[in-house]
Amino acid sequence: MKKTLTLAGALVCAAALTLASCAQAPGTGAASEAPSASASASASGAAFKACMVSDSGGFDDKSFNQTSYKGLTDAKTQLGIETGQVESNSNADYAKNVQSMVDANCNIIVTVGFLLSDDTLASAKKNPNIKYAIVDNNDPKTYPAAKNLKPLTFNTAQSSFLAGYLAAGMTKTKKVGTFGGAKIPTVTIFMDGFSQGVDYYNKQKSANVQVLGWDAAKQDGQFTGDFEDQKGGQRTAQGLISQGADIVFPVAGPAGLGALQAAKGSGGKVNAIWVDTDGCVSAEQYCSNIITSVYKGMDLAVADAIKAAKDGSFSNEPYVGTLENDGTGLAPFHDFDSKVPAELKSEVDALKADIISGKIKIESKSQPSA
């Protein structure tokens, strides 16, 4: 079941299909710099406390965690509540960091990332009076038993399909590349959609654009091994570039910044498509090399879950962000607005409509369900 976010005022032109017609998409706003393990209070909302635990990328990762953290700070501003947050430095920190938020008397704890799944579920079961939400995971076999745990997921295979088609239409070398931080479903879903979008372009145009770094049929490809190593991300991107890729699609959090560095150092020969948030906002120094970004409205989903916990309407019904409800999509083209051909823009708009209507079926084993 699809559930539309209740923060309707922040949604982006839901009725419009033109990708560049809106000034800002969900998940594209810049987040303020996060203090580690600190709390800030508001007199009007001191009776309710919302808290967040990052994954190892930290709240200033220019991507996944930063956008989720913006949802916490937005909720604080909108609802006048107290907030608390703690950054994780490694996977070993997750359990203790979640417990620290329990000890801080939080009313809702939002954890950020697939890798926090086990620790979040364990804590939710142990503390039924606390509400929990987890960004980017839902396990239909185990999560329903925890009535106080809400999954916040995103079908980025849909939006990545658009990115893949766009990349295939923009490449000059007829080779595009992608790589991930870790081989987990919330990463490979991007790579699946991207690859399928390129394949669709090839079929429609009788073209032969190659995808380097991911084999959708074998569900295998290139990964840096973590989400922090920017040098590793740069090396991986350079490897794809050396094979001929002139557009790179990194799905690796902060490690993906290495790909932007490689693109910027190419002298205009290589460009990139960013993920999770609008890269021209979160990593604006690389905007001249970012064609667009596949955004996830994590900020809206997080803020909505916090609001529901505060007003008593919270449920464990999974949220799935889609193209239809603007939970995911493509960010504006920014510096590339005049460089992307009008015909290609129109084709991408039409593909979005066809995906929403069901005319085009996205194939990815990692797609979320609700």
Side-chain angles (χ1 to χ4, degrees), residues 61-62 230 234 254-266 270-274 278-293 333-336:
D61 64 356
K62 314 299 182 188
Q230 290 188 29
Q234 187 172 22
L257 291 170
L260 299 185
Q261 293 165 5
K264 189 170 184 178
S266 71
V270 178
N271 294 301
I273 296 176
W274 193 238
D278 187 337
C280 280
V281 175
S282 66
E284 61 182 345
Q285 67 269 40
Y286 301 111
C287 189
S288 61
N289 293 102
I290 298 174
I291 300 172
T292 185
S293 304
F333 294 121
H334 296 289
D335 290 3
F336 280 81

PDB file of all heavy atoms in Angstrom, residues 61-62 230 234 254-266 270-274 278-293 333-336:
ATOM      1  N   ASP A  61      27.578  13.855   5.575  1.00  0.00           N
ATOM      2  CA  ASP A  61      28.082  13.028   4.479  1.00  0.00           C
ATOM      3  C   ASP A  61      27.714  13.546   3.087  1.00  0.00           C
ATOM      4  O   ASP A  61      28.020  12.921   2.086  1.00  0.00           O
ATOM      5  CB  ASP A  61      27.606  11.584   4.624  1.00  0.00           C
ATOM      6  CG  ASP A  61      26.084  11.425   4.530  1.00  0.00           C
ATOM      7  OD1 ASP A  61      25.389  12.452   4.422  1.00  0.00           O
ATOM      8  OD2 ASP A  61      25.613  10.278   4.595  1.00  0.00           O
ATOM      9  N   LYS A  62      27.022  14.686   3.007  1.00  0.00           N
ATOM     10  CA  LYS A  62      26.601  15.288   1.733  1.00  0.00           C
ATOM     11  C   LYS A  62      25.594  14.415   0.997  1.00  0.00           C
ATOM     12  O   LYS A  62      25.347  14.606  -0.191  1.00  0.00           O
ATOM     13  CB  LYS A  62      27.807  15.545   0.789  1.00  0.00           C
ATOM     14  CG  LYS A  62      29.013  16.186   1.421  1.00  0.00           C
ATOM     15  CD  LYS A  62      28.693  17.548   1.993  1.00  0.00           C
ATOM     16  CE  LYS A  62      29.938  18.201   2.588  1.00  0.00           C
ATOM     17  NZ  LYS A  62      29.619  19.446   3.310  1.00  0.00           N
ATOM     18  N   GLN A 230      36.893   8.079   0.538  1.00  0.00           N
ATOM     19  CA  GLN A 230      36.796   8.894  -0.669  1.00  0.00           C
ATOM     20  C   GLN A 230      37.894   8.558  -1.667  1.00  0.00           C
ATOM     21  O   GLN A 230      37.674   8.577  -2.876  1.00  0.00           O
ATOM     22  CB  GLN A 230      36.833  10.377  -0.308  1.00  0.00           C
ATOM     23  CG  GLN A 230      35.597  10.864   0.412  1.00  0.00           C
ATOM     24  CD  GLN A 230      35.576  12.366   0.591  1.00  0.00           C
ATOM     25  OE1 GLN A 230      36.141  13.116  -0.199  1.00  0.00           O
ATOM     26  NE2 GLN A 230      34.927  12.820   1.664  1.00  0.00           N
ATOM     27  N   GLN A 234      37.408   7.426  -5.440  1.00  0.00           N
ATOM     28  CA  GLN A 234      38.075   8.074  -6.570  1.00  0.00           C
ATOM     29  C   GLN A 234      38.804   7.046  -7.432  1.00  0.00           C
ATOM     30  O   GLN A 234      38.744   7.100  -8.662  1.00  0.00           O
ATOM     31  CB  GLN A 234      39.046   9.137  -6.072  1.00  0.00           C
ATOM     32  CG  GLN A 234      39.659   9.978  -7.189  1.00  0.00           C
ATOM     33  CD  GLN A 234      40.472  11.141  -6.643  1.00  0.00           C
ATOM     34  OE1 GLN A 234      40.918  11.136  -5.508  1.00  0.00           O
ATOM     35  NE2 GLN A 234      40.669  12.161  -7.465  1.00  0.00           N
ATOM     36  N   PRO A 254      29.590   9.142   1.271  1.00  0.00           N
ATOM     37  CA  PRO A 254      30.781   9.997   1.209  1.00  0.00           C
ATOM     38  C   PRO A 254      31.883   9.446   0.308  1.00  0.00           C
ATOM     39  O   PRO A 254      32.629  10.215  -0.301  1.00  0.00           O
ATOM     40  CB  PRO A 254      31.247  10.044   2.671  1.00  0.00           C
ATOM     41  CG  PRO A 254      30.018   9.794   3.465  1.00  0.00           C
ATOM     42  CD  PRO A 254      29.216   8.815   2.664  1.00  0.00           C
ATOM     43  N   ALA A 255      31.994   8.110   0.199  1.00  0.00           N
ATOM     44  CA  ALA A 255      32.997   7.537  -0.696  1.00  0.00           C
ATOM     45  C   ALA A 255      32.731   7.951  -2.135  1.00  0.00           C
ATOM     46  O   ALA A 255      33.656   8.079  -2.947  1.00  0.00           O
ATOM     47  CB  ALA A 255      33.012   6.011  -0.576  1.00  0.00           C
ATOM     48  N   GLY A 256      31.460   8.186  -2.448  1.00  0.00           N
ATOM     49  CA  GLY A 256      31.105   8.615  -3.789  1.00  0.00           C
ATOM     50  C   GLY A 256      31.616   9.999  -4.138  1.00  0.00           C
ATOM     51  O   GLY A 256      31.704  10.348  -5.322  1.00  0.00           O
ATOM     52  N   LEU A 257      31.962  10.795  -3.116  1.00  0.00           N
ATOM     53  CA  LEU A 257      32.546  12.107  -3.387  1.00  0.00           C
ATOM     54  C   LEU A 257      33.841  11.970  -4.172  1.00  0.00           C
ATOM     55  O   LEU A 257      34.232  12.877  -4.912  1.00  0.00           O
ATOM     56  CB  LEU A 257      32.793  12.865  -2.090  1.00  0.00           C
ATOM     57  CG  LEU A 257      31.535  13.319  -1.324  1.00  0.00           C
ATOM     58  CD1 LEU A 257      31.911  13.840   0.057  1.00  0.00           C
ATOM     59  CD2 LEU A 257      30.789  14.391  -2.115  1.00  0.00           C
ATOM     60  N   GLY A 258      34.498  10.823  -4.013  1.00  0.00           N
ATOM     61  CA  GLY A 258      35.707  10.572  -4.793  1.00  0.00           C
ATOM     62  C   GLY A 258      35.435  10.548  -6.286  1.00  0.00           C
ATOM     63  O   GLY A 258      36.270  10.961  -7.097  1.00  0.00           O
ATOM     64  N   ALA A 259      34.241  10.054  -6.652  1.00  0.00           N
ATOM     65  CA  ALA A 259      33.857  10.048  -8.068  1.00  0.00           C
ATOM     66  C   ALA A 259      33.645  11.469  -8.571  1.00  0.00           C
ATOM     67  O   ALA A 259      33.996  11.791  -9.718  1.00  0.00           O
ATOM     68  CB  ALA A 259      32.593   9.222  -8.261  1.00  0.00           C
ATOM     69  N   LEU A 260      33.077  12.331  -7.726  1.00  0.00           N
ATOM     70  CA  LEU A 260      32.898  13.727  -8.120  1.00  0.00           C
ATOM     71  C   LEU A 260      34.253  14.412  -8.288  1.00  0.00           C
ATOM     72  O   LEU A 260      34.429  15.253  -9.169  1.00  0.00           O
ATOM     73  CB  LEU A 260      32.049  14.468  -7.086  1.00  0.00           C
ATOM     74  CG  LEU A 260      30.621  13.943  -6.866  1.00  0.00           C
ATOM     75  CD1 LEU A 260      29.868  14.865  -5.909  1.00  0.00           C
ATOM     76  CD2 LEU A 260      29.874  13.811  -8.189  1.00  0.00           C
ATOM     77  N   GLN A 261      35.196  14.048  -7.430  1.00  0.00           N
ATOM     78  CA  GLN A 261      36.543  14.597  -7.552  1.00  0.00           C
ATOM     79  C   GLN A 261      37.192  14.163  -8.868  1.00  0.00           C
ATOM     80  O   GLN A 261      37.842  14.955  -9.543  1.00  0.00           O
ATOM     81  CB  GLN A 261      37.383  14.150  -6.362  1.00  0.00           C
ATOM     82  CG  GLN A 261      36.930  14.739  -5.033  1.00  0.00           C
ATOM     83  CD  GLN A 261      37.524  14.029  -3.829  1.00  0.00           C
ATOM     84  OE1 GLN A 261      38.354  13.134  -3.963  1.00  0.00           O
ATOM     85  NE2 GLN A 261      37.089  14.422  -2.639  1.00  0.00           N
ATOM     86  N   ALA A 262      36.978  12.894  -9.210  1.00  0.00           N
ATOM     87  CA  ALA A 262      37.531  12.379 -10.463  1.00  0.00           C
ATOM     88  C   ALA A 262      36.900  13.089 -11.658  1.00  0.00           C
ATOM     89  O   ALA A 262      37.591  13.443 -12.624  1.00  0.00           O
ATOM     90  CB  ALA A 262      37.293  10.871 -10.557  1.00  0.00           C
ATOM     91  N   ALA A 263      35.593  13.316 -11.590  1.00  0.00           N
ATOM     92  CA  ALA A 263      34.904  14.008 -12.684  1.00  0.00           C
ATOM     93  C   ALA A 263      35.411  15.438 -12.818  1.00  0.00           C
ATOM     94  O   ALA A 263      35.686  15.919 -13.923  1.00  0.00           O
ATOM     95  CB  ALA A 263      33.397  13.991 -12.442  1.00  0.00           C
ATOM     96  N   LYS A 264      35.555  16.115 -11.691  1.00  0.00           N
ATOM     97  CA  LYS A 264      36.011  17.503 -11.716  1.00  0.00           C
ATOM     98  C   LYS A 264      37.431  17.604 -12.260  1.00  0.00           C
ATOM     99  O   LYS A 264      37.788  18.592 -12.921  1.00  0.00           O
ATOM    100  CB  LYS A 264      35.941  18.108 -10.323  1.00  0.00           C
ATOM    101  CG  LYS A 264      36.178  19.609 -10.291  1.00  0.00           C
ATOM    102  CD  LYS A 264      35.861  20.213  -8.931  1.00  0.00           C
ATOM    103  CE  LYS A 264      36.003  21.724  -8.952  1.00  0.00           C
ATOM    104  NZ  LYS A 264      35.635  22.327  -7.636  1.00  0.00           N
ATOM    105  N   GLY A 265      38.237  16.590 -11.986  1.00  0.00           N
ATOM    106  CA  GLY A 265      39.621  16.604 -12.452  1.00  0.00           C
ATOM    107  C   GLY A 265      39.801  16.173 -13.896  1.00  0.00           C
ATOM    108  O   GLY A 265      40.928  16.130 -14.395  1.00  0.00           O
ATOM    109  N   SER A 266      38.688  15.867 -14.574  1.00  0.00           N
ATOM    110  CA  SER A 266      38.788  15.353 -15.943  1.00  0.00           C
ATOM    111  C   SER A 266      38.852  16.457 -16.995  1.00  0.00           C
ATOM    112  O   SER A 266      38.966  16.156 -18.192  1.00  0.00           O
ATOM    113  CB  SER A 266      37.585  14.456 -16.243  1.00  0.00           C
ATOM    114  OG  SER A 266      36.393  15.233 -16.363  1.00  0.00           O
ATOM    115  N   VAL A 270      34.372  14.199 -18.135  1.00  0.00           N
ATOM    116  CA  VAL A 270      33.564  13.252 -17.361  1.00  0.00           C
ATOM    117  C   VAL A 270      32.605  14.003 -16.461  1.00  0.00           C
ATOM    118  O   VAL A 270      32.965  15.031 -15.878  1.00  0.00           O
ATOM    119  CB  VAL A 270      34.466  12.330 -16.495  1.00  0.00           C
ATOM    120  CG1 VAL A 270      33.617  11.380 -15.659  1.00  0.00           C
ATOM    121  CG2 VAL A 270      35.432  11.546 -17.381  1.00  0.00           C
ATOM    122  N   ASN A 271      31.395  13.489 -16.352  1.00  0.00           N
ATOM    123  CA  ASN A 271      30.402  14.068 -15.454  1.00  0.00           C
ATOM    124  C   ASN A 271      29.779  12.960 -14.610  1.00  0.00           C
ATOM    125  O   ASN A 271      30.100  11.778 -14.776  1.00  0.00           O
ATOM    126  CB  ASN A 271      29.345  14.818 -16.259  1.00  0.00           C
ATOM    127  CG  ASN A 271      29.926  16.034 -16.961  1.00  0.00           C
ATOM    128  OD1 ASN A 271      30.469  16.929 -16.319  1.00  0.00           O
ATOM    129  ND2 ASN A 271      29.835  16.056 -18.285  1.00  0.00           N
ATOM    130  N   ALA A 272      28.895  13.355 -13.709  1.00  0.00           N
ATOM    131  CA  ALA A 272      28.347  12.389 -12.766  1.00  0.00           C
ATOM    132  C   ALA A 272      26.865  12.622 -12.536  1.00  0.00           C
ATOM    133  O   ALA A 272      26.330  13.697 -12.854  1.00  0.00           O
ATOM    134  CB  ALA A 272      29.095  12.463 -11.435  1.00  0.00           C
ATOM    135  N   ILE A 273      26.213  11.615 -11.997  1.00  0.00           N
ATOM    136  CA  ILE A 273      24.855  11.727 -11.475  1.00  0.00           C
ATOM    137  C   ILE A 273      24.931  11.322 -10.014  1.00  0.00           C
ATOM    138  O   ILE A 273      25.419  10.231  -9.693  1.00  0.00           O
ATOM    139  CB  ILE A 273      23.865  10.841 -12.252  1.00  0.00           C
ATOM    140  CG1 ILE A 273      23.765  11.307 -13.716  1.00  0.00           C
ATOM    141  CG2 ILE A 273      22.489  10.878 -11.596  1.00  0.00           C
ATOM    142  CD1 ILE A 273      22.879  10.444 -14.594  1.00  0.00           C
ATOM    143  N   TRP A 274      24.497  12.206  -9.117  1.00  0.00           N
ATOM    144  CA  TRP A 274      24.603  11.985  -7.674  1.00  0.00           C
ATOM    145  C   TRP A 274      23.377  11.228  -7.161  1.00  0.00           C
ATOM    146  O   TRP A 274      22.414  11.025  -7.907  1.00  0.00           O
ATOM    147  CB  TRP A 274      24.779  13.324  -6.971  1.00  0.00           C
ATOM    148  CG  TRP A 274      25.205  13.254  -5.534  1.00  0.00           C
ATOM    149  CD1 TRP A 274      24.548  13.773  -4.454  1.00  0.00           C
ATOM    150  CD2 TRP A 274      26.388  12.638  -5.015  1.00  0.00           C
ATOM    151  NE1 TRP A 274      25.262  13.532  -3.299  1.00  0.00           N
ATOM    152  CE2 TRP A 274      26.391  12.822  -3.616  1.00  0.00           C
ATOM    153  CE3 TRP A 274      27.450  11.931  -5.598  1.00  0.00           C
ATOM    154  CZ2 TRP A 274      27.410  12.332  -2.789  1.00  0.00           C
ATOM    155  CZ3 TRP A 274      28.458  11.452  -4.776  1.00  0.00           C
ATOM    156  CH2 TRP A 274      28.425  11.658  -3.401  1.00  0.00           C
ATOM    157  N   ASP A 278      20.145  16.290  -3.655  1.00  0.00           N
ATOM    158  CA  ASP A 278      20.600  17.117  -4.762  1.00  0.00           C
ATOM    159  C   ASP A 278      22.060  17.485  -4.527  1.00  0.00           C
ATOM    160  O   ASP A 278      22.386  18.298  -3.661  1.00  0.00           O
ATOM    161  CB  ASP A 278      19.718  18.379  -4.848  1.00  0.00           C
ATOM    162  CG  ASP A 278      20.009  19.223  -6.085  1.00  0.00           C
ATOM    163  OD1 ASP A 278      21.118  19.120  -6.626  1.00  0.00           O
ATOM    164  OD2 ASP A 278      19.126  19.989  -6.490  1.00  0.00           O
ATOM    165  N   GLY A 279      22.944  16.900  -5.319  1.00  0.00           N
ATOM    166  CA  GLY A 279      24.372  17.136  -5.148  1.00  0.00           C
ATOM    167  C   GLY A 279      24.783  18.567  -5.351  1.00  0.00           C
ATOM    168  O   GLY A 279      25.792  19.015  -4.788  1.00  0.00           O
ATOM    169  N   CYS A 280      24.011  19.321  -6.135  1.00  0.00           N
ATOM    170  CA  CYS A 280      24.343  20.727  -6.354  1.00  0.00           C
ATOM    171  C   CYS A 280      24.053  21.565  -5.118  1.00  0.00           C
ATOM    172  O   CYS A 280      24.512  22.707  -5.023  1.00  0.00           O
ATOM    173  CB  CYS A 280      23.571  21.274  -7.557  1.00  0.00           C
ATOM    174  SG  CYS A 280      24.323  20.812  -9.133  1.00  0.00           S
ATOM    175  N   VAL A 281      23.295  21.009  -4.169  1.00  0.00           N
ATOM    176  CA  VAL A 281      23.059  21.674  -2.887  1.00  0.00           C
ATOM    177  C   VAL A 281      24.020  21.145  -1.836  1.00  0.00           C
ATOM    178  O   VAL A 281      24.684  21.899  -1.136  1.00  0.00           O
ATOM    179  CB  VAL A 281      21.598  21.471  -2.430  1.00  0.00           C
ATOM    180  CG1 VAL A 281      21.380  22.054  -1.033  1.00  0.00           C
ATOM    181  CG2 VAL A 281      20.636  22.111  -3.417  1.00  0.00           C
ATOM    182  N   SER A 282      24.122  19.813  -1.727  1.00  0.00           N
ATOM    183  CA  SER A 282      24.931  19.223  -0.657  1.00  0.00           C
ATOM    184  C   SER A 282      26.428  19.270  -0.956  1.00  0.00           C
ATOM    185  O   SER A 282      27.238  19.323  -0.036  1.00  0.00           O
ATOM    186  CB  SER A 282      24.500  17.772  -0.420  1.00  0.00           C
ATOM    187  OG  SER A 282      24.786  16.965  -1.550  1.00  0.00           O
ATOM    188  N   ALA A 283      26.805  19.221  -2.217  1.00  0.00           N
ATOM    189  CA  ALA A 283      28.224  19.249  -2.614  1.00  0.00           C
ATOM    190  C   ALA A 283      28.376  20.221  -3.770  1.00  0.00           C
ATOM    191  O   ALA A 283      28.800  19.867  -4.869  1.00  0.00           O
ATOM    192  CB  ALA A 283      28.692  17.848  -2.998  1.00  0.00           C
ATOM    193  N   GLU A 284      28.010  21.471  -3.511  1.00  0.00           N
ATOM    194  CA  GLU A 284      27.886  22.464  -4.580  1.00  0.00           C
ATOM    195  C   GLU A 284      29.182  22.734  -5.321  1.00  0.00           C
ATOM    196  O   GLU A 284      29.160  23.189  -6.477  1.00  0.00           O
ATOM    197  CB  GLU A 284      27.323  23.763  -4.014  1.00  0.00           C
ATOM    198  CG  GLU A 284      28.183  24.405  -2.939  1.00  0.00           C
ATOM    199  CD  GLU A 284      27.540  25.676  -2.380  1.00  0.00           C
ATOM    200  OE1 GLU A 284      26.596  26.182  -3.021  1.00  0.00           O
ATOM    201  OE2 GLU A 284      27.977  26.134  -1.311  1.00  0.00           O
ATOM    202  N   GLN A 285      30.319  22.436  -4.713  1.00  0.00           N
ATOM    203  CA  GLN A 285      31.591  22.673  -5.398  1.00  0.00           C
ATOM    204  C   GLN A 285      31.769  21.776  -6.624  1.00  0.00           C
ATOM    205  O   GLN A 285      32.613  22.022  -7.470  1.00  0.00           O
ATOM    206  CB  GLN A 285      32.774  22.486  -4.439  1.00  0.00           C
ATOM    207  CG  GLN A 285      33.003  21.066  -3.931  1.00  0.00           C
ATOM    208  CD  GLN A 285      32.268  20.783  -2.636  1.00  0.00           C
ATOM    209  OE1 GLN A 285      31.134  21.210  -2.450  1.00  0.00           O
ATOM    210  NE2 GLN A 285      32.914  20.036  -1.748  1.00  0.00           N
ATOM    211  N   TYR A 286      30.940  20.729  -6.710  1.00  0.00           N
ATOM    212  CA  TYR A 286      31.014  19.813  -7.843  1.00  0.00           C
ATOM    213  C   TYR A 286      29.840  19.984  -8.802  1.00  0.00           C
ATOM    214  O   TYR A 286      29.670  19.180  -9.722  1.00  0.00           O
ATOM    215  CB  TYR A 286      31.060  18.369  -7.353  1.00  0.00           C
ATOM    216  CG  TYR A 286      32.227  18.066  -6.447  1.00  0.00           C
ATOM    217  CD1 TYR A 286      32.033  17.807  -5.091  1.00  0.00           C
ATOM    218  CD2 TYR A 286      33.527  18.035  -6.942  1.00  0.00           C
ATOM    219  CE1 TYR A 286      33.108  17.523  -4.250  1.00  0.00           C
ATOM    220  CE2 TYR A 286      34.609  17.765  -6.117  1.00  0.00           C
ATOM    221  CZ  TYR A 286      34.386  17.514  -4.767  1.00  0.00           C
ATOM    222  OH  TYR A 286      35.453  17.246  -3.950  1.00  0.00           O
ATOM    223  N   CYS A 287      29.028  21.010  -8.603  1.00  0.00           N
ATOM    224  CA  CYS A 287      27.791  21.159  -9.376  1.00  0.00           C
ATOM    225  C   CYS A 287      28.052  21.219 -10.878  1.00  0.00           C
ATOM    226  O   CYS A 287      27.249  20.726 -11.671  1.00  0.00           O
ATOM    227  CB  CYS A 287      27.023  22.399  -8.921  1.00  0.00           C
ATOM    228  SG  CYS A 287      25.363  22.540  -9.634  1.00  0.00           S
ATOM    229  N   SER A 288      29.162  21.797 -11.282  1.00  0.00           N
ATOM    230  CA  SER A 288      29.446  21.926 -12.714  1.00  0.00           C
ATOM    231  C   SER A 288      29.665  20.578 -13.384  1.00  0.00           C
ATOM    232  O   SER A 288      29.685  20.491 -14.617  1.00  0.00           O
ATOM    233  CB  SER A 288      30.680  22.812 -12.934  1.00  0.00           C
ATOM    234  OG  SER A 288      31.826  22.254 -12.318  1.00  0.00           O
ATOM    235  N   ASN A 289      29.824  19.525 -12.581  1.00  0.00           N
ATOM    236  CA  ASN A 289      30.008  18.179 -13.125  1.00  0.00           C
ATOM    237  C   ASN A 289      28.849  17.234 -12.787  1.00  0.00           C
ATOM    238  O   ASN A 289      28.931  16.039 -13.060  1.00  0.00           O
ATOM    239  CB  ASN A 289      31.308  17.558 -12.613  1.00  0.00           C
ATOM    240  CG  ASN A 289      32.541  18.259 -13.128  1.00  0.00           C
ATOM    241  OD1 ASN A 289      33.153  19.050 -12.411  1.00  0.00           O
ATOM    242  ND2 ASN A 289      32.899  17.993 -14.376  1.00  0.00           N
ATOM    243  N   ILE A 290      27.781  17.763 -12.177  1.00  0.00           N
ATOM    244  CA  ILE A 290      26.642  16.926 -11.807  1.00  0.00           C
ATOM    245  C   ILE A 290      25.478  17.201 -12.752  1.00  0.00           C
ATOM    246  O   ILE A 290      24.910  18.298 -12.740  1.00  0.00           O
ATOM    247  CB  ILE A 290      26.219  17.188 -10.348  1.00  0.00           C
ATOM    248  CG1 ILE A 290      27.361  16.828  -9.394  1.00  0.00           C
ATOM    249  CG2 ILE A 290      24.969  16.383 -10.001  1.00  0.00           C
ATOM    250  CD1 ILE A 290      27.071  17.186  -7.937  1.00  0.00           C
ATOM    251  N   ILE A 291      25.134  16.213 -13.560  1.00  0.00           N
ATOM    252  CA  ILE A 291      24.047  16.380 -14.530  1.00  0.00           C
ATOM    253  C   ILE A 291      22.712  16.518 -13.804  1.00  0.00           C
ATOM    254  O   ILE A 291      21.914  17.403 -14.083  1.00  0.00           O
ATOM    255  CB  ILE A 291      24.007  15.188 -15.507  1.00  0.00           C
ATOM    256  CG1 ILE A 291      25.327  15.075 -16.270  1.00  0.00           C
ATOM    257  CG2 ILE A 291      22.837  15.334 -16.482  1.00  0.00           C
ATOM    258  CD1 ILE A 291      25.449  13.815 -17.119  1.00  0.00           C
ATOM    259  N   THR A 292      22.470  15.623 -12.866  1.00  0.00           N
ATOM    260  CA  THR A 292      21.286  15.653 -12.005  1.00  0.00           C
ATOM    261  C   THR A 292      21.574  14.730 -10.830  1.00  0.00           C
ATOM    262  O   THR A 292      22.681  14.206 -10.702  1.00  0.00           O
ATOM    263  CB  THR A 292      20.014  15.211 -12.760  1.00  0.00           C
ATOM    264  OG1 THR A 292      18.867  15.377 -11.905  1.00  0.00           O
ATOM    265  CG2 THR A 292      20.084  13.766 -13.191  1.00  0.00           C
ATOM    266  N   SER A 293      20.586  14.531  -9.966  1.00  0.00           N
ATOM    267  CA  SER A 293      20.734  13.636  -8.821  1.00  0.00           C
ATOM    268  C   SER A 293      19.453  12.827  -8.649  1.00  0.00           C
ATOM    269  O   SER A 293      18.355  13.320  -8.921  1.00  0.00           O
ATOM    270  CB  SER A 293      20.994  14.435  -7.534  1.00  0.00           C
ATOM    271  OG  SER A 293      22.120  15.275  -7.657  1.00  0.00           O
ATOM    272  N   PHE A 333      18.303  20.074 -13.172  1.00  0.00           N
ATOM    273  CA  PHE A 333      19.545  19.902 -13.935  1.00  0.00           C
ATOM    274  C   PHE A 333      20.587  20.969 -13.617  1.00  0.00           C
ATOM    275  O   PHE A 333      21.754  20.818 -13.988  1.00  0.00           O
ATOM    276  CB  PHE A 333      19.240  19.922 -15.437  1.00  0.00           C
ATOM    277  CG  PHE A 333      18.406  18.764 -15.908  1.00  0.00           C
ATOM    278  CD1 PHE A 333      17.184  18.989 -16.521  1.00  0.00           C
ATOM    279  CD2 PHE A 333      18.831  17.466 -15.735  1.00  0.00           C
ATOM    280  CE1 PHE A 333      16.402  17.933 -16.960  1.00  0.00           C
ATOM    281  CE2 PHE A 333      18.069  16.398 -16.167  1.00  0.00           C
ATOM    282  CZ  PHE A 333      16.841  16.625 -16.780  1.00  0.00           C
ATOM    283  N   HIS A 334      20.198  22.062 -13.007  1.00  0.00           N
ATOM    284  CA  HIS A 334      21.128  23.125 -12.626  1.00  0.00           C
ATOM    285  C   HIS A 334      22.007  23.555 -13.811  1.00  0.00           C
ATOM    286  O   HIS A 334      21.491  24.007 -14.814  1.00  0.00           O
ATOM    287  CB  HIS A 334      21.973  22.681 -11.428  1.00  0.00           C
ATOM    288  CG  HIS A 334      21.175  22.448 -10.183  1.00  0.00           C
ATOM    289  ND1 HIS A 334      20.601  23.465  -9.446  1.00  0.00           N
ATOM    290  CD2 HIS A 334      20.819  21.296  -9.541  1.00  0.00           C
ATOM    291  CE1 HIS A 334      19.946  22.970  -8.421  1.00  0.00           C
ATOM    292  NE2 HIS A 334      20.050  21.652  -8.455  1.00  0.00           N
ATOM    293  N   ASP A 335      23.321  23.380 -13.701  1.00  0.00           N
ATOM    294  CA  ASP A 335      24.239  23.848 -14.744  1.00  0.00           C
ATOM    295  C   ASP A 335      24.042  23.125 -16.070  1.00  0.00           C
ATOM    296  O   ASP A 335      24.516  23.602 -17.116  1.00  0.00           O
ATOM    297  CB  ASP A 335      25.693  23.659 -14.291  1.00  0.00           C
ATOM    298  CG  ASP A 335      26.087  24.612 -13.172  1.00  0.00           C
ATOM    299  OD1 ASP A 335      25.217  25.378 -12.709  1.00  0.00           O
ATOM    300  OD2 ASP A 335      27.261  24.581 -12.740  1.00  0.00           O
ATOM    301  N   PHE A 336      23.383  21.971 -16.040  1.00  0.00           N
ATOM    302  CA  PHE A 336      23.189  21.187 -17.258  1.00  0.00           C
ATOM    303  C   PHE A 336      21.837  21.450 -17.921  1.00  0.00           C
ATOM    304  O   PHE A 336      21.510  20.802 -18.922  1.00  0.00           O
ATOM    305  CB  PHE A 336      23.330  19.691 -16.956  1.00  0.00           C
ATOM    306  CG  PHE A 336      24.758  19.231 -16.879  1.00  0.00           C
ATOM    307  CD1 PHE A 336      25.487  19.420 -15.721  1.00  0.00           C
ATOM    308  CD2 PHE A 336      25.384  18.635 -17.968  1.00  0.00           C
ATOM    309  CE1 PHE A 336      26.808  19.020 -15.641  1.00  0.00           C
ATOM    310  CE2 PHE A 336      26.700  18.237 -17.900  1.00  0.00           C
ATOM    311  CZ  PHE A 336      27.427  18.422 -16.737  1.00  0.00           C
TER     312      PHE A 336
END
